[in-house]
Amino acid sequence: PCRTILSRLATAETANTVDSALSEPSAPPGTSLPDGSTRRPNPANPMEYCSTIPVAEQMAQAAALSPPSVMVPVGVLKRAGGSTGGSVEAERENKSVMFSDGIRPGGDLTELDGRGGGEHRTLGRRAGRGRNRQRRGRTGGPVGAQDVCTSMLPPEGLPLVSGRGAVEEEEVLVWFSAGTYVNFVMNKNLTVITKQLHYPPINKLCWNFATRGLTSVGQDEVVILLEVADDEQLPPREVFTMLQALYEQAGAGSPVAEMGHISVGSDYLGSSAHGGWLFIRHTHQTVADLLLPPPPCLFGVLIMRWEIPWARVFPLRLMLRLGAEFRYYPAPLVSVRGRKPVYGEIGHTIMNVLADFKNYTYALPTIRGLVIHMSTGRTDILLPKNRYDAVLKALNTSNETVLALGSNFSLSADSHLVAIQGDDGSYQTQAINILNKERKVT
């Protein structure tokens, strides 16, 4: 009973308080109360948040007040060409420190917007570099045709000798006869070290050319081993012109990679039968006592004009065929002038279906890293895991009944199959293997 009486009294007091609040007029918000404080709007009455002052009076009061001011850091609004605050500040600005990205300590990115009175700088380029480049007379930009040094080859004769300039051929002949090498200059970035040496695998004298500087245009260094012709005392000029052309081609954005080739004009190295150069890596070949540039490097092998289609469509087949011709696994490193081509007319072969030897409109898809191993009683096709997309593309573009894929040279195999073309144009398959090693994996 006591709890019921107390609850009824509390309900009655609450009702009286609400009635008194609604019946008594309250002072408007913002007025001063007797205790000196300012009355705040009642959250339970949204109408107290609305202003009772007419709009015209509010506009008149706003026009009489001064506009609000905002404090903005000086660096945000600073622009070059404006006032610097006196000669002291200007001198301090000239002596200030600048980071490598072109921003001063305490400065801002507006200094890089190109509105200043000085030279325009790109973000990340140090100040003054453009003026130094203009003084050197060089053009800017990435590696490309504009950045390739022009050829310093004379119109005829041998190139200039590094550190000596033009040298008489009789003096160069003395150097080669003494077994020393000569460093020839192709341009400001490319030199070719040349020496005449005896190469044991063929037991003959060879010209050894080794480049220095092709990597400046994204091209692997190149080594040329050319068999010395009868009564030849000086290296042929055509090799130097080819290396300079290779430099310019790489500088234009087309470097030659492994199994790549370049073509040459007619009457090259004394014969119109020479067609170009095939570039390969050395694997099992002997490279002791040779002049070699820093790795990675490519070896250029002279190919005949009849062999150009194979170098373009099936370079691996051509490389292995040269190895079978010279009985040197997997391919010779020495170039021989005036030899008989290993391939002639294409003839009747399945390769005519797999590739276009005339217009080169299509070719056999080659999966990088794919190798095929044959051993006793089994054949293994090894596909890299990261070549799934390439294999899927080859499957989608292949014939419904025939799937043909090009493989790569396998370093783990001890022998390879070679397609040899006979005099009648027919083909047969032979195997070449490492000398004095049993054949286990082909």
Side-chain angles (χ1 to χ4, degrees):
C2 294
R3 181 178 301 176
T4 302
I5 295 173
L6 292 175
S7 64
R8 289 179 180 178
L9 290 175
T11 302
E13 291 178 358
T14 303
N16 294 332
T17 302
V18 173
D19 293 340
S20 62
L22 294 177
S23 60
E24 296 179 0
S26 60
T31 58
S32 299
L33 299 178
D35 58 356
S37 61
T38 303
R39 182 181 181 279
R40 297 181 180 181
N42 184 12
N45 188 7
M47 294 300 297
E48 292 188 3
Y49 286 87
C50 298
S51 176
T52 59
I53 303 174
V55 178
E57 296 182 9
Q58 296 182 22
M59 297 296 295
Q61 295 176 3
L65 298 176
S66 60
S69 60
V70 180
M71 300 300 294
V72 182
V74 178
V76 175
L77 301 179
K78 181 173 60 178
R79 288 289 184 272
S83 61
T84 58
S87 59
V88 178
E89 286 77 1
E91 183 179 359
R92 185 178 302 171
E93 179 73 16
N94 294 333
K95 294 182 179 180
S96 64
V97 181
M98 180 178 294
F99 296 116
S100 61
D101 57 1
I103 304 177
R104 296 182 178 88
D108 60 335
L109 295 179
T110 59
E111 298 179 0
L112 301 176
D113 59 2
R115 304 181 187 179
E119 62 170 343
H120 176 72
R121 303 194 310 272
T122 305
L123 186 62
R125 181 179 298 172
R126 296 180 181 176
R129 181 173 296 181
R131 290 193 295 268
N132 296 334
R133 181 171 297 175
Q134 293 176 2
R135 286 196 294 266
R136 292 194 299 266
R138 295 180 56 188
T139 57
V143 172
Q146 296 181 351
D147 196 42
V148 173
C149 294
T150 57
S151 175
M152 298 176 62
L153 290 173
E156 58 182 9
L158 293 176
L160 304 179
V161 178
S162 178
R164 296 289 300 273
V167 180
E168 296 293 334
E169 293 184 354
E170 289 77 9
E171 187 175 359
V172 177
L173 179 59
V174 172
W175 293 339
F176 284 130
S177 301
T180 59
Y181 65 86
V182 181
N183 193 11
F184 292 104
V185 178
M186 304 294 102
N187 54 60
K188 294 182 180 179
N189 289 340
L190 177 63
T191 61
V192 179
I193 300 178
T194 309
K195 183 180 180 181
Q196 188 182 90
L197 49 80
H198 178 267
Y199 191 54
I202 64 173
N203 197 22
K204 292 183 179 179
L205 288 176
C206 297
W207 293 112
N208 185 182
F209 303 87
T211 63
R212 295 289 194 282
L214 285 178
T215 54
S216 63
V217 288
Q219 171 68 58
D220 290 346
E221 302 292 349
V222 173
V223 179
I224 301 293
L225 294 178
L226 182 64
E227 184 179 337
V228 177
D230 297 337
D231 301 329
E232 188 177 42
Q233 298 178 342
L234 295 174
R237 173 185 167 87
E238 291 86 345
V239 177
F240 298 111
T241 57
M242 181 272 295
L243 294 175
Q244 172 63 25
L246 187 67
Y247 180 92
E248 295 176 358
Q249 176 180 325
S254 300
V256 177
E258 181 183 3
M259 292 296 173
H261 78 285
I262 59 174
S263 301
V264 296
S266 59
D267 196 15
Y268 184 79
L269 289 174
S271 174
S272 59
H274 301 147
W277 298 86
L278 177 68
F279 295 92
I280 62 175
R281 303 275 187 200
H282 74 277
T283 52
H284 301 281
Q285 300 95 330
T286 300
V287 294
D289 301 329
L290 293 179
L291 287 176
L292 299 178
C297 63
L298 297 171
F299 280 78
V301 180
L302 182 65
I303 56 178
M304 303 295 107
R305 198 163 299 278
W306 279 104
E307 299 166 352
I308 290 294
W310 292 95
R312 186 165 181 174
V313 179
F314 297 110
L316 179 59
R317 171 172 285 203
L318 176 59
M319 184 194 78
L320 296 175
R321 178 63 183 89
L322 292 174
E325 179 71 16
F326 291 92
R327 303 182 63 84
Y328 196 63
Y329 183 87
L333 299 180
V334 179
S335 300
V336 179
R337 287 171 279 189
R339 61 174 176 82
K340 181 181 177 181
V342 295
Y343 289 120
E345 290 284 353
I346 304 302
H348 298 285
T349 172
I350 187 63
M351 294 303 172
N352 273 330
V353 180
L354 301 178
D356 183 8
F357 283 91
K358 294 183 179 180
N359 301 320
Y360 306 107
T361 56
Y362 59 92
L364 183 69
T366 301
I367 308 300
R368 184 178 179 182
L370 167 64
V371 294
I372 302 174
H373 291 166
M374 295 188 303
S375 56
T376 304
R378 62 179 299 174
T379 300
D380 298 327
I381 302 177
L382 305 180
L383 288 165
K385 293 182 179 180
N386 57 353
R387 293 292 179 266
Y388 175 80
D389 294 337
V391 175
L392 188 62
K393 180 180 178 180
L395 289 173
N396 295 331
T397 57
S398 63
N399 192 281
E400 295 181 356
T401 58
V402 178
L403 173 62
L405 297 175
S407 61
N408 301 265
F409 180 79
S410 176
L411 293 174
S412 59
D414 49 45
S415 60
H416 278 79
L417 298 179
V418 181
I420 298 178
Q421 186 180 25
D423 296 335
D424 57 350
S426 60
Y427 294 86
Q428 59 180 351
T429 303
Q430 294 183 5
I432 58 173
N433 62 292
I434 302 176
L435 183 65
N436 299 327
K437 186 173 182 180
E438 183 183 359
R439 287 178 52 188
K440 294 182 179 180
V441 178
T442 302

